[in-house]
Amino acid sequence: MEFEALSRYTSPVNPAVFPHLTVVLLATGLFFTACFLVYEVTSTASTRDIYKELLIALVASLFMGFGVLFPLLWVSIYV
Amino acid sequence: MAEPSAPESKHKSSLNSSPWSGLMALGNSRHGHHGPGAQCAHKAAGGAAPKPAPAGLSGGLSQPAGWQSLLSFTILFLAWLAGFSSRLFAVIRFESIIHEFDPWFNYRSTHHLASHGFYEFLNWFDERAWYPLGRIVGGTVYPGLMITAGLIHWILNTLNITVHIRDVCVFLAPTFSGLTSISTFLLTRELWNQGAGLLAACFIAIVPGYISRSVAGSFDNEGIAIFALQFTYYLWVKSVKTGSVFWTMCCCLSYFYMVSAWGGYVFIINLIPLHVFVLLLMQRYSKRVYIAYSTFYIVGLILSMQIPFVGFQPIRTSEHMAAAGVFALLQAYAFLQYLRDRLTKQEFQTLFFLGVSLAAGAVFLSVIYLTYTVALYAISAVYFAGVMVRLMLTLTPVVCMLSAIAFSNVFEHYLGDDMKRENPPVEDSSDEDDKRNPGNLYDKAGKVRKHVTEQEKTEEGLGPNIKSIVTMLMLMLLMMFAVHCTWVTSNAYSSPSVVLASYNHDGTRNILDDFREAYFWLRQNTDEHARVMSWWDYGYQIAGMANRTTLVDNNTWNNSHIALVGKAMSSNETAAYKIMRSLDVDYVLVIFGGVIGYSGDDINKFLWMVRIAEGEHPKDIRESDYFTPQGEFRVDKAGSPTLLNCLMYKMSYYRFGEMQLDFRTPPGFDRTRNAEIGNKDIKFKHLEEAFTSEHWLVRIYKVKAPDNRVTLDHKPRVTNIFPKQKYLSKKTAKRKRGYIKNKLVFKKGKKISKKTV
């Protein structure tokens, strides 16, 4: 049905860098998660700043999200 | 949330109080509640109390609370990960499959739950087991396991993460092992301190006693029950400490989950009353204990009776009587305390004696009745705990916690002394000349310092050398423990037992997949309503993998039915055929290990079949018939003729006599019994061979329908023994000729009229 006209799917990210991306993104994500955790534990009601919380949470979740995607792709769970 | 009251409780207050508050703050950060611990943290950081903690990341990390809670979180996460990974050996080496026997039934029930819904599962009557009796599954299982797996499956599928129910079942136990380590951490932290809690969490993640019952693939009740156990104990300790109804209700809900998950809930319902009883004996009664136990007993009782399998047992059986007894005792004790505050001493004494004498009469009668049962139960429990290795499982969490407390104490003693004496600024003690300098604490009182230093010199040896040696030894011990755990898990507890593996001299692996081969043959080549007869060990697997109706299975609730099957296996073919026809059996399945040397086959279990059959049919089956006159159990020519002609023997060794395994042994050499079989020329009259697996491990025979005409296997009986006598006519010479009536007579010479010509 036009299978010949279709081109083979290639990944936008070179599969050879999956391991490196995994390590970097996951490490950064975990680092920011840890920062968020420590901030929550050691701050009191008066010193807590909602914008700071949101900022750290946003950065952490971004990095963690991609940091979970690339390990999955690396072990060939093609989500 | 009420403050934990320090004085009356048993737990030791630790010098690490700040992480307590740190983690409490973690739980309550939204409410902005801070205990005194937070202030301690600030003090320890060197800042003045009223000054708020410095905001910002660097400020957060400079406080011990931050580091400690981060460290705890990381350690618990790693413990979960270690526990999960350590249980995956079987999945990596073989595949993601349900192991052993009982988990197959649990899997089948969970599959039924996932396909048909919750109420169908709760009211399920299984007519494909224990044919023709059937089994009321809804009322004879602990549903917690199936409901947990079904719920996780449903949640994941609703989120469009399409996981198969089999994968949920296989990986449920490792996931719950992580939760178990977290609840062990919580429990030990309540009982001792946080360091011990973390150690306990790490221990229970990898300890073999727990791993053996919760590897990936072992989809059994203990996998979730140990988590429920630890969590219930944690909530109970919390509720006794706080005396709040909220924590007690949480404890009751957790107890309800435990009752739904495992029959071992009896352990909890006896241990908690025992705890209350010991508190009463130790004069540590308080209102909190009263509130906690009264609420727990009543609500827990009502909740536990909601499980159909438990039903009315909590108010009938003797195992639950201890809880009721302690409840009554507690009410009486509380009432006495109440009266004591109200009445004068004299009135109180009279009333007390009156009440005691009344109660003594009632108690005396009931105790006499119960003592024997209770004492016997206790003795038999100790005996069985010593005999059944499986019950080691209940001992495992306790041992983990105790050893964690011991290690925590040792480490505190040998590592903590340095920290106690060295106030900030922290000194590097290795640079000091006098290593036993107590530090700044004693600097102020000069005289005391001398005393202390002298004392230090005379003290046994808490020098840093000893400390480092001891610490190193402890660390080595812990590392060796971890290595041992992993080795034991890998070697002993990671076999699926549905798939057998053997290793050659050069290390390559042979997989023996006969069981699944045979079960799938059954599944694909037999009628959907065919009935399979086998020994009860394989019932669950046949029902799970082959999806066929079985006669008896691992539930073993009906001994007479099992005895019928045993009788059929032990009788000769004709008698067995009668039994099989009366039970509507279509196929018979036996396990035979003679070709590969598998020692768990049916011939080795045969004597049990005979014994069970003899128990119900002593006139037909006698165990002594199957032994030689010398009392041996032999399968070769010297074996007893009853054995050599029974159905089990014939089914196992059919056509085996023609098979020569290697040139050194004769044909028909049984590798498991190391004997050449006695009866090589086996013929069946009512069965025919349907399937034999690759290594002859599983053999399936079809039961033939009865013949249309029963042929005789011998010549027909000749009835005329005497030869036929020659017939002698009774006619005399005179009467030899008979005559014909109305015969026409010709008369010669007379002309016949022309008309008649």
Side-chain angles (χ1 to χ4, degrees):
Chain A
M1 231 180 96
E2 276 193 23
F3 290 130
E4 297 78 19
L6 301 170
S7 62
R8 185 180 179 178
Y9 174 76
T10 52
S11 154
V13 175
N14 182 5
V17 293
F18 282 162
H20 309 88
L21 272 176
T22 303
V23 172
V24 167
L25 289 173
L26 209 53
T28 330
L30 283 172
F31 172 71
F32 279 110
T33 314
C35 285
F36 183 70
L37 180 76
V38 169
Y39 182 67
E40 288 301 320
V41 166
T42 58
S43 62
T44 64
S46 48
T47 60
R48 208 169 288 133
D49 182 16
I50 182 81
Y51 295 111
K52 195 178 159 97
E53 279 179 335
L54 278 176
L55 181 68
I56 304 180
L58 182 71
V59 174
S61 57
L62 264 175
F63 277 104
M64 278 302 277
F66 285 103
V68 166
L69 171 69
F70 283 105
L72 286 178
L73 289 178
W74 184 18
V75 295
S76 71
I77 302 174
Y78 291 107
V79 285
Chain B
M1 175 179 141
E3 279 294 332
S5 58
E8 280 198 37
S9 51
K10 284 195 269 190
H11 71 284
K12 181 180 135 169
S13 65
S14 69
L15 43 86
N16 297 336
S17 58
S18 43
W20 284 65
S21 71
L23 271 154
M24 276 201 307
L26 187 66
N28 296 321
S29 54
R30 286 295 142 219
H31 307 286
H33 168 83
H34 301 281
Q39 311 295 330
C40 290
H42 298 162
K43 267 195 205 145
K51 195 172 89 181
L57 293 174
S58 54
L61 286 179
S62 71
Q63 297 172 34
W67 275 116
Q68 272 155 354
S69 52
L70 183 63
L71 205 59
S72 307
F73 186 76
T74 315
I75 290 176
L76 284 177
F77 178 71
L78 287 175
W80 190 331
L81 203 63
F84 189 90
S85 323
S86 178
R87 287 161 167 82
L88 294 182
F89 280 106
V91 172
I92 295 173
R93 288 179 186 159
F94 299 94
E95 63 185 276
S96 157
I97 189 180
I98 306 280
H99 295 185
E100 307 227 323
F101 302 104
D102 280 357
W104 277 102
F105 171 70
N106 295 332
Y107 170 63
R108 187 162 158 258
S109 314
T110 316
H111 189 78
H112 195 264
L113 169 65
S115 352
H116 296 107
F118 178 63
Y119 284 106
E120 279 296 323
F121 166 70
L122 219 53
N123 300 321
W124 185 24
F125 178 79
D126 186 15
E127 71 273 357
R128 289 174 79 88
W130 292 91
Y131 186 87
L133 305 165
R135 176 183 175 178
I136 308 171
V137 177
T140 56
V141 293
Y142 286 106
L145 180 67
M146 296 82 173
I147 292 177
T148 311
L151 191 68
I152 293 178
H153 174 252
W154 179 79
I155 290 176
L156 287 177
N157 277 43
T158 316
L159 294 174
N160 278 330
I161 305 172
T162 49
V163 198
H164 192 268
I165 184 72
R166 188 201 66 231
D167 290 320
V168 173
C169 293
V170 167
F171 291 103
L172 189 78
T175 317
F176 269 77
S177 75
L179 286 172
T180 307
S181 25
I182 292 182
S183 52
T184 310
F185 161 72
L186 290 169
L187 177 61
T188 316
R189 193 188 63 174
E190 287 299 319
L191 293 177
W192 203 256
N193 65 18
Q194 183 149 351
L198 290 171
L199 272 172
C202 297
F203 283 157
I204 202 160
I206 57 173
V207 69
Y210 179 41
I211 287 191
S212 66
R213 303 296 303 163
S214 67
V215 283
S218 175
F219 180 55
D220 212 349
N221 300 73
E222 287 93 341
I224 56 170
I226 301 296
F227 158 66
L229 188 83
Q230 298 285 79
F231 199 56
T232 311
Y233 281 143
Y234 161 66
L235 290 171
W236 168 250
V237 170
K238 204 73 183 161
S239 66
V240 165
K241 274 197 204 169
T242 61
S244 85
V245 178
F246 168 71
W247 283 107
T248 316
M249 291 311 292
C250 288
C251 182
C252 293
L253 287 174
S254 178
Y255 175 65
F256 177 53
Y257 182 58
M258 176 73 192
V259 172
S260 75
W262 196 30
Y265 73 91
V266 180
F267 192 51
I268 298 191
I269 200 62
N270 280 312
L271 210 62
I272 290 186
L274 190 68
H275 177 225
V276 170
F277 187 61
V278 166
L279 283 179
L280 286 183
L281 282 181
M282 284 166 52
Q283 316 268 339
R284 283 177 181 263
Y285 170 80
S286 69
K287 253 193 244 167
R288 289 173 286 119
V289 174
Y290 178 71
I291 294 173
Y293 187 65
S294 309
T295 320
F296 172 78
Y297 180 67
I298 297 297
V299 180
L301 188 73
I302 295 175
L303 283 178
S304 66
M305 295 207 281
Q306 303 307 309
I307 308 290
F309 191 29
V310 173
F312 285 102
Q313 280 180 24
I315 49 177
R316 272 195 341 213
T317 60
S318 56
E319 299 146 350
H320 299 88
M321 284 304 123
V326 171
F327 179 68
L329 183 68
L330 193 66
Q331 301 303 315
Y333 197 93
F335 187 58
L336 285 177
Q337 293 283 27
Y338 176 76
L339 284 182
R340 189 179 291 187
D341 299 331
R342 301 294 165 112
L343 300 176
T344 65
K345 190 156 189 214
Q346 201 61 26
E347 285 173 357
F348 182 70
Q349 269 182 345
T350 357
L351 202 66
F352 184 69
F353 282 127
L354 192 68
V356 163
S357 47
L358 268 176
V363 166
F364 182 70
L365 289 170
S366 54
V367 159
I368 291 295
Y369 179 65
L370 281 177
T371 307
Y372 287 115
T373 38
V374 168
L376 280 174
Y377 184 68
I379 295 172
S380 57
V382 168
Y383 170 70
F384 280 118
V387 165
M388 260 190 93
V389 179
R390 228 209 260 190
L391 292 179
M392 190 87 73
L393 177 64
T394 41
L395 198 60
T396 305
V398 173
V399 167
C400 280
M401 291 197 297
L402 288 175
S403 52
I405 291 174
F407 269 98
S408 164
N409 261 0
V410 167
F411 277 127
E412 253 179 46
H413 199 231
Y414 284 92
L415 290 175
D417 278 341
D418 275 339
M419 278 153 56
K420 211 182 343 185
R421 294 208 193 104
E422 291 170 4
N423 270 344
V426 174
E427 294 168 349
D428 199 343
S429 50
S430 56
D431 290 336
E432 295 274 319
D433 277 339
D434 184 12
K435 304 243 169 99
R436 297 191 209 100
N437 183 5
N440 300 338
L441 208 56
Y442 300 104
D443 268 344
K444 295 191 177 136
K447 254 196 186 168
V448 179
R449 185 177 168 199
K450 250 203 193 150
H451 261 288
V452 171
T453 44
E454 274 172 24
Q455 248 182 9
E456 280 294 301
K457 280 184 189 143
T458 53
E459 246 178 49
E460 271 274 311
L462 285 182
N465 280 332
I466 297 288
K467 278 185 205 157
S468 36
I469 289 174
V470 170
T471 315
M472 207 62 63
L473 273 175
M474 289 291 151
L475 282 175
M476 267 178 54
L477 206 64
L478 288 174
M479 278 193 282
M480 288 200 301
F481 174 67
V483 169
H484 160 78
C485 287
T486 318
W487 182 84
V488 168
T489 309
S490 162
N491 276 322
Y493 296 132
S494 298
S495 145
S497 74
V498 186
V499 180
L500 304 173
S502 69
Y503 296 88
N504 296 333
H505 292 290
D506 56 355
T508 53
R509 187 172 67 161
N510 285 339
I511 298 270
L512 298 151
D513 213 2
D514 287 43
F515 288 105
R516 290 198 295 171
E517 183 192 346
Y519 296 141
F520 272 86
W521 182 91
L522 262 183
R523 194 189 187 111
Q524 290 167 339
N525 293 289
T526 57
D527 180 62
E528 201 194 329
H529 297 286
R531 291 161 286 271
V532 181
M533 179 172 98
S534 71
W535 194 235
W536 58 261
D537 303 42
Y538 316 108
Y540 279 157
Q541 281 185 343
I542 295 175
M545 282 193 261
N547 197 23
R548 290 289 171 267
T549 310
T550 50
L551 253 63
V552 289
D553 64 24
N554 306 56
N555 194 25
T556 65
W557 65 269
N558 191 334
N559 199 50
S560 330
H561 212 57
I562 298 181
L564 258 182
V565 172
K567 185 174 173 211
M569 297 290 196
S570 337
S571 327
N572 59 29
E573 195 189 344
T574 319
Y577 184 66
K578 273 204 214 82
I579 300 177
M580 290 196 283
R581 287 298 302 165
S582 75
L583 290 172
D584 284 342
V585 176
D586 294 314
Y587 291 91
V588 189
L589 188 146
V590 290
I591 306 291
F592 172 58
V595 171
I596 55 171
Y598 178 63
S599 58
D601 66 352
D602 281 356
I603 294 280
N604 277 359
K605 291 182 197 162
F606 183 61
L607 282 175
W608 282 109
M609 301 187 198
V610 173
R611 282 174 200 141
I612 293 177
E614 190 181 357
E616 293 282 329
H617 307 273
K619 294 203 183 68
D620 304 318
I621 311 277
R622 276 166 296 272
E623 192 184 340
S624 48
D625 287 347
Y626 296 86
F627 289 101
T628 61
Q630 292 82 25
E632 292 176 320
F633 181 75
R634 296 177 67 147
V635 295
D636 52 12
K637 275 207 163 42
S640 98
T642 328
L643 175 66
L644 263 52
N645 283 313
C646 75
L647 187 70
M648 172 58 69
Y649 189 94
K650 284 168 88 166
M651 285 199 293
S652 295
Y653 292 121
Y654 181 63
R655 288 192 305 116
F656 186 59
E658 306 146 18
M659 192 176 189
Q660 186 163 24
L661 292 167
D662 67 49
F663 60 89
R664 290 168 295 190
T665 54
F669 186 75
D670 183 351
R671 272 200 185 142
T672 318
R673 262 70 50 183
N674 281 323
E676 185 184 346
I677 61 172
N679 190 359
K680 291 190 190 176
D681 184 28
I682 296 173
K683 285 197 178 14
F684 281 111
K685 192 164 173 299
H686 301 288
L687 300 178
E688 61 179 1
E689 187 183 4
F691 180 78
T692 299
S693 63
E694 187 186 344
H695 300 98
W696 289 50
L697 207 49
V698 185
R699 311 197 68 181
I700 303 179
Y701 292 84
K702 186 171 164 56
V703 178
K704 293 204 281 207
D707 294 328
N708 289 332
R709 182 174 69 92
V710 178
T711 56
L712 295 171
D713 49 3
H714 54 82
K715 277 172 63 76
R717 186 166 63 112
V718 176
T719 50
N720 48 348
I721 311 165
F722 304 103
K724 263 204 179 108
Q725 288 181 357
K726 207 170 166 234
Y727 176 64
L728 289 173
S729 172
K730 284 202 187 129
K731 293 184 185 149
T732 59
K734 259 206 291 194
R735 290 169 58 198
K736 258 201 174 152
R737 288 169 82 181
Y739 68 99
I740 301 171
K741 279 186 183 172
N742 303 325
K743 182 180 174 181
L744 287 173
V745 175
F746 274 76
K747 269 204 167 160
K748 279 187 178 168
K750 226 183 186 175
K751 241 192 193 174
I752 306 169
S753 62
K754 285 182 186 169
K755 278 184 193 164
T756 56
V757 169

